[in-house]
Amino acid sequence: MTCTLKISKIFSVLLILCFSAAGLRAQSALKPQMWIASWGASQQIPEPQNALPTDDLRDVTIREIFHLSAGGTMLRVHVSNAFGTEALHFTSGHIARPLSNTAPAIDPATDKALTFAGASSVNVPPGAEFISDPVAFPAGPLSDVSVSFHLDEPPAQQTGHPGSRATTYYVHGDSVAAPNLADAKHVDHWYQIAGIDVLASPDAGTVVALGDSITDGHGATTNGNDRWTDVLAARLQAAAATRAIGISNQGIGGNHLLTDGLGPSALARFDRDVLAPAGVRWLIVFEGVNDLGGLARNGEVPPADHAAMVARVLAAYQQIVARAHAHGIRVFGATITPYVGSEYYHPGPLSEADRQAVNQWIRADGHFDAVIDFDKVVADPQHPDQLLPAYDCGDHLHPSPAGYRAMANAIPLGLFAQ
């Protein structure tokens, strides 16, 4: 009797060990993929001239085209009501491969319906966003995807990204699955879509670029995908060691580190734009020119005000680094590029001295995990307080596509070593 019990116990232990090993093998088989952000755009309230007319948003299909960085076999789409004041009803949504990034036509063979918790529609609360259920949609790196969604009623307050440098199409009626949108109206802004994730390998990760209009791409080619972040994405995809890395462009034109304006300040939007995207492992901080330039835009101010502004900018950088490090994110500081000659800011010697002081701090050891010296890349060697003419879009503040290419090519890919 005792012998039988012992054998039974041994057999039970062996069964437990076998099941545990099988469970570990099953977990291992399920483990080798993770979600990363392959495309993203900072959400804000569109300015009146960039908002869609209310009547155009009643019973409307909006079709937008997005350029991915990393590829994957499964996708998720983030629909946003971040600045809405009432719940927003998305009645339906689809994703497909566009035939071109300059027209609303899609390949109907690739069209897939989006669902949210299994339902084809979703009510997104004010101030929130919803992530779609995963959808099987093999997407190559640097490919374009088209997202269409239908609204029955206009948002009480629109949410979007005016600086898309990409064309959006819209028509009345529910045409989310239509191969084309006949007689569609179009604008060069994005609305209500905040990000696209891909299911990638376990060594994957995402770089967030936190910045202003120079990151957003002012001066880049509409539908040309030649912002510095786009060029960096192409470089990452061209190298075997970095093909699993995506980029989420979180630049907002006119954005500040310290104060709200065109979009919330960098500090105010940090959680949503840096911590929330999937798989973030690296952060490039390239922001501050609007804070420095705005100080004396309407007339010179005392030197003490300049010193105080520099101190506040440096404190903001320190806050960003501390908050990112708390989440295991490496932070790279990008130096502020020249803007003497800008008709918008017309900076004087004190403002240029502020820029030099901030850049000196960025370059110093112990502040950022690494430095990306955009200033040295695009400055005119003969006039280092100005953009090199070949890299100037013409306003002496924003780089041209050639300037953006030079900036991206100067970033060492070794910063993103796995």
Side-chain angles (χ1 to χ4, degrees):
M1 189 80 168
T2 303
C3 183
T4 302
L5 284 172
K6 285 181 178 179
I7 292 172
S8 177
K9 287 180 178 179
I10 292 170
F11 183 69
S12 298
V13 170
L14 288 173
L15 281 176
I16 290 170
L17 290 174
C18 287
F19 282 123
S20 297
L24 289 172
R25 284 195 298 272
Q27 288 179 3
S28 177
L30 294 173
K31 192 176 181 180
Q33 288 185 306
M34 65 174 290
W35 291 104
I36 64 168
S38 180
W39 173 86
S42 298
Q43 300 301 288
Q44 61 186 101
I45 298 173
E47 306 93 316
Q49 69 273 21
N50 294 326
L52 289 177
T54 300
D55 287 344
D56 285 351
L57 283 170
R58 186 169 286 105
D59 182 26
V60 66
T61 292
I62 297 178
R63 179 166 290 175
E64 304 178 305
I65 299 171
F66 308 107
H67 187 66
L68 301 182
S69 51
T73 57
M74 305 277 288
L75 299 185
R76 305 187 306 191
V77 176
H78 295 239
V79 296
S80 179
N81 192 24
F83 293 92
T85 55
E86 298 176 4
L88 182 61
H89 185 212
F90 292 80
T91 66
S92 58
H94 277 230
I95 188 167
R97 187 168 292 114
L99 297 182
S100 163
N101 70 347
T102 59
I106 61 169
D107 177 359
T110 66
D111 182 64
K112 297 286 185 71
L114 297 175
T115 59
F116 299 85
S120 60
S121 65
V122 62
N123 280 300
V124 182
E129 72 174 39
F130 263 53
I131 306 174
S132 75
D133 300 329
V135 57
F137 191 96
L142 309 178
S143 63
D144 295 327
V145 296
S146 171
V147 176
S148 305
F149 60 89
H150 177 259
L151 302 175
D152 49 359
E153 295 293 336
Q157 172 62 66
Q158 294 175 40
T159 292
H161 187 83
S164 66
R165 277 92 205 175
T167 305
T168 288
Y169 306 89
Y170 59 102
V171 296
H172 284 299
D174 189 342
S175 300
V176 293
N180 203 355
L181 301 181
D183 301 318
K185 295 181 179 180
H186 61 88
V187 291
D188 292 334
H189 312 299
W190 284 317
Y191 302 94
Q192 315 295 160
I193 304 294
I196 298 177
D197 302 335
V198 298
L199 195 59
S201 59
D203 60 345
T206 288
V207 182
V208 164
L210 182 69
D212 47 43
S213 56
I214 302 179
T215 296
D216 201 18
H218 184 97
T221 308
T222 298
N223 297 315
N225 298 311
D226 53 10
R227 312 163 190 83
W228 69 262
T229 53
D230 297 318
V231 180
L232 177 58
R235 290 187 64 216
L236 291 169
Q237 292 306 313
T242 54
R243 284 178 188 154
I245 296 175
I247 293 183
S248 179
N249 185 324
Q250 300 293 336
I252 293 179
N255 199 233
H256 291 69
L257 280 166
L258 302 166
T259 55
D260 292 349
L262 296 180
S265 72
L267 290 177
R269 63 190 178 94
F270 185 86
D271 287 5
R272 179 174 61 243
D273 290 352
V274 176
L275 301 183
V280 178
R281 297 176 60 183
W282 305 276
L283 168 64
I284 298 174
V285 181
F286 182 32
E287 188 145 17
V289 69
N290 292 318
D291 299 83
L292 299 181
L295 178 65
R297 182 179 175 224
N298 297 318
E300 193 51 271
V301 298
D305 291 354
H306 283 272
M309 172 58 73
V310 169
R312 289 197 296 271
V313 166
L314 301 185
Y317 288 153
Q318 291 172 309
Q319 286 292 304
I320 287 171
V321 171
R323 290 168 69 180
H325 280 175
H327 293 266
I329 299 170
R330 288 175 55 79
V331 189
F332 309 140
T335 51
I336 299 174
T337 49
Y339 65 109
V340 163
S342 161
E343 288 300 317
Y344 187 76
Y345 284 132
H346 41 80
L350 291 178
S351 292
E352 173 60 13
D354 294 344
R355 186 181 75 90
Q356 294 293 346
V358 169
N359 283 349
Q360 183 178 2
W361 188 92
I362 292 172
R363 293 183 183 115
D365 292 339
H367 295 147
F368 288 99
D369 296 309
V371 177
I372 298 172
D373 208 337
F374 284 154
D375 174 35
K376 287 187 176 179
V377 174
V378 300
D380 184 341
Q382 303 303 316
H383 306 280
D385 58 357
Q386 301 174 30
L387 290 171
L388 188 71
Y391 292 161
D392 189 342
C393 80
D395 66 4
H396 312 305
L397 173 63
H398 299 92
S400 62
Y404 287 136
R405 190 178 312 111
M407 290 164 61
N409 287 336
I411 299 174
L413 297 189
L415 293 178
F416 313 106
Q418 301 300 300

